[in-house]
């Protein structure tokens, strides 16, 4: 919701939490289903996202491989995957989803 979090802030937090140079994975998670992506709803969002990725590229020697595409059909994950980290993930170690939390995302222990 735009009034709670601007698109620019969302992009900033996203870029702070991922490695945009890692293809088809993050951390110990590997495979195409773990790829990072920014999916836009408008030309304005696409422009903001593209500019953010261009700006982020100056921080990395490897190229950014995060997808940038228009939103397409979206299928929500199964119920048992919803709030996965809050429920404890694979090893039962719960993680906070509170606003402003900057803890490292730790899916596999």
């Amino acid at each position: 919701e735009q009034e709670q979090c601007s698109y620019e802030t969302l992009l900033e937090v996203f870029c702070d939490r991922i490695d945009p140079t890692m293809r088809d994975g993050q951390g110990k998670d590997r495979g195409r289903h773990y790829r990072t992506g920014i999916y836009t709803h408008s030309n304005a969002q696409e422009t903001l996202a593209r500019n953010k990725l261009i700006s982020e590229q100056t921080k990395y020697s490897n190229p950014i491989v995060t997808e940038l595409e228009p939103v397409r059909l979206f299928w929500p994950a199964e119920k048992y995957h919803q709030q996965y980290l809050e429920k404890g993930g694979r090893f039962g170690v719960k993680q906070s989803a509170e606003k402003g939390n900057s803890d490292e995302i730790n899916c596999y222990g």
Side-chain angles (χ1 to χ4, degrees):
E1 295 183 27
Q2 184 72 18
E3 41 301 330
Q4 292 186 14
C5 177
S6 71
Y7 192 69
E8 293 89 343
T9 299
L10 184 62
L11 289 170
E12 187 70 34
V13 171
F14 176 76
C15 288
D16 285 347
R17 302 289 295 249
I18 65 157
D19 176 352
T21 67
M22 185 175 284
R23 185 175 306 282
D24 293 340
Q26 287 295 296
K28 297 177 185 175
D29 299 323
R30 295 285 180 266
R32 181 145 170 78
H33 51 285
Y34 291 109
R35 70 192 180 277
T36 59
I38 300 172
Y39 307 101
T40 59
H41 291 274
S42 68
N43 289 338
Q45 283 185 349
E46 180 185 0
T47 299
L48 289 169
R50 187 171 310 285
N51 288 340
K52 179 63 176 167
L53 292 177
I54 290 168
S55 170
E56 287 293 304
Q57 184 61 69
T58 64
K59 300 177 184 177
Y60 299 95
S61 56
N62 292 327
I64 287 180
V65 295
T66 297
E67 292 180 354
L68 175 56
E69 299 178 1
V71 169
R72 292 178 279 166
L73 185 61
F74 175 79
W75 297 99
E78 297 86 353
K79 276 210 178 284
Y80 69 90
H81 281 299
Q82 302 298 325
Q83 288 75 44
Y84 181 73
L85 298 178
E86 288 178 275
K87 292 175 184 174
R90 182 175 177 193
F91 294 112
V93 178
K94 295 182 179 184
Q95 295 183 28
S96 173
E98 292 291 319
K99 288 185 180 184
N101 182 357
S102 60
D103 294 346
E104 181 179 347
I105 297 172
N106 192 8
C107 295
Y108 295 107

